[in-house]
Amino acid sequence: MRVELRIFTEPQQGATYDDLLRVAKVTEDAGFDAFFRSDHYLKMGGVSGLPGPTDAWITLAGLARETSRIRLGTLVTAATFRHPSVLAISVAQVDQMSGGRIELGLGAGWFDDEHRAYGIELPEVKQRFDRYAEQLAIITGLWETPEGETFDFLGKHYELQGSPALPKPAQRPGPPVIIGGAGKKRTPALAARYAREFNLPFADAETAAAQFDRVAAAAREIDRDPNEIVRSAAQVLCVGRDEAEIARRAQAIGREVDELRTNGLAGTPAEVVDKIGRYREATGITRLYLQVLDLSDLDHLELVAAEIAPQLS
């Protein structure tokens, strides 16, 4: 059983760049595949999320220069936050800065409160997905345009004329695009067209398997091999050597052990390896994002690297 393990952080809950750098360095040193972060500007639950949000792509630019091996990316960037041309430029530059280690998780945007708090427009769902589809076409189109040629796009929401489509990312034709979510029609269709990975976060195995099957069917409809699209999941992490350590880690993130055992990856290393194995068998995932919510607990990552990762490699 081989499952790549990636570390996934939620810094809007309260973290500085230095906090994220420490976790990224442990991620790299401990042998994990990648370090990912969310792209949010407001804490979920509570009031302020001190010290406040960090920008996802500024963070990743810094980490690109301070790490050397791990993949880096977002799970996921909100398409509502940035014009697609600007995002394409930013991601391409960070990909250059990293030596070709960047991945772009891109979603339509959803968190109403953060859009209100920072005055960012959040259209109704249909318009949001219409824009999202155009954004995916623009970003990938800019990256894929050969040097010396120009890129044009005329859509309902965006128009580009004679763009030199620069800069180019280090990876060609571009960084892998990750798409996810539970939408039953448009999401699988967009994933089939643009994604190199489909991620379903925090879902039970039955729900995940059904959505992966929809993505595979959508790929076949456009004559794309479904096996080209990596299947991945994200689950909250709470591992301990014994019940006391599990309970301490659950308390640190404000969750109950029983709930985490049901809805996440909680328990002893042996329990978690067994659960990952059963989830993989049911869904076909080959990549798993471990949502780490207590960024001060670096021993948590080292425990997983020592006692879980070797059994999944």
Side-chain angles (χ1 to χ4, degrees):
M1 174 179 66
R2 186 174 192 278
V3 179
E4 292 179 353
L5 296 181
R6 295 182 158 191
I7 299 302
F8 168 42
T9 63
E10 301 270 9
Q12 78 278 352
Q13 299 302 103
T16 64
Y17 172 77
D18 286 340
D19 295 329
L20 296 171
L21 176 60
R22 280 191 291 272
V23 176
K25 284 187 173 294
V26 170
T27 297
E28 182 157 270
D29 293 344
F32 290 103
D33 181 61
F35 173 92
F36 271 60
R37 59 156 292 162
S38 59
D39 189 5
H40 285 295
Y41 291 133
L42 192 70
K43 181 180 180 180
M44 297 173 192
V47 182
S48 64
L50 287 171
T54 49
D55 183 85
W57 288 100
I58 291 176
T59 296
L60 294 174
L63 297 179
R65 308 302 289 180
E66 300 204 60
T67 59
S68 61
R69 179 189 59 79
I70 49 172
R71 307 287 294 177
L72 300 165
T74 50
L75 205 64
V76 293
T77 282
T80 49
F81 289 174
R82 304 167 185 87
H83 189 284
S85 298
V86 174
L87 181 60
I89 290 168
S90 297
V91 177
Q93 183 179 0
V94 180
D95 194 49
Q96 291 178 359
M97 294 168 68
S98 72
R101 294 183 286 125
I102 290 298
E103 303 187 12
L104 171 63
L106 187 65
W110 63 272
F111 188 21
D112 293 20
D113 289 350
E114 75 183 337
H115 288 78
R116 283 194 295 270
Y118 286 96
I120 301 169
E121 182 184 6
L122 184 67
E124 51 82 24
V125 173
K126 182 183 183 303
Q127 183 182 351
R128 200 183 315 161
F129 267 81
D130 289 344
R131 289 189 182 189
Y132 178 47
E134 291 188 16
Q135 290 160 337
L136 285 162
I138 290 168
I139 292 167
T140 56
L142 286 167
W143 290 342
E144 293 169 4
T145 299
E147 285 95 332
E149 298 184 15
T150 58
F151 177 75
D152 296 278
F153 182 87
L154 179 60
K156 183 177 179 181
H157 301 284
Y158 301 99
E159 181 177 354
L160 284 70
Q161 296 182 9
S163 171
L166 298 172
K168 294 302 180 194
Q171 299 173 88
R172 300 299 181 95
V177 172
I178 303 167
I179 292 176
K184 295 182 179 180
K185 292 183 179 180
R186 296 192 71 178
T187 298
L190 289 171
R193 184 170 181 182
Y194 295 107
R196 272 193 263 170
E197 176 180 337
F198 189 83
N199 178 269
L200 201 62
F202 317 121
D204 62 74
E206 182 179 0
T207 300
Q211 186 68 339
F212 290 136
D213 287 345
R214 292 186 191 102
V215 173
R220 286 190 288 269
E221 285 179 9
I222 61 170
D223 296 323
R224 183 180 181 192
D225 182 356
N227 293 322
E228 293 178 359
I229 304 173
V230 173
R231 295 185 177 195
S232 69
Q235 296 283 343
V236 63
L237 183 72
C238 184
V239 180
R241 297 170 182 84
D242 53 37
E243 291 301 319
E245 192 168 74
I246 297 165
R248 174 176 63 77
R249 289 196 162 118
Q251 183 178 23
I253 61 174
R255 303 277 286 269
E256 297 293 329
V257 172
D258 289 346
E259 179 267 326
L260 285 169
R261 275 194 160 105
T262 300
N263 298 320
L265 294 174
T268 63
E271 283 182 84
V272 170
V273 168
D274 179 66
K275 185 166 186 177
I276 292 172
R278 286 184 280 111
Y279 197 93
R280 186 194 187 290
E281 184 176 353
T283 63
I285 64 162
T286 57
R287 184 173 291 161
L288 183 60
Y289 294 80
L290 306 176
Q291 185 194 45
V292 177
L293 296 175
D294 182 359
L295 300 185
S296 67
D297 187 0
L298 301 180
D299 178 64
H300 198 186
L301 278 65
E302 291 169 346
L303 174 62
V304 173
E307 300 195 23
I308 294 177
Q311 300 184 64
L312 303 175
S313 63

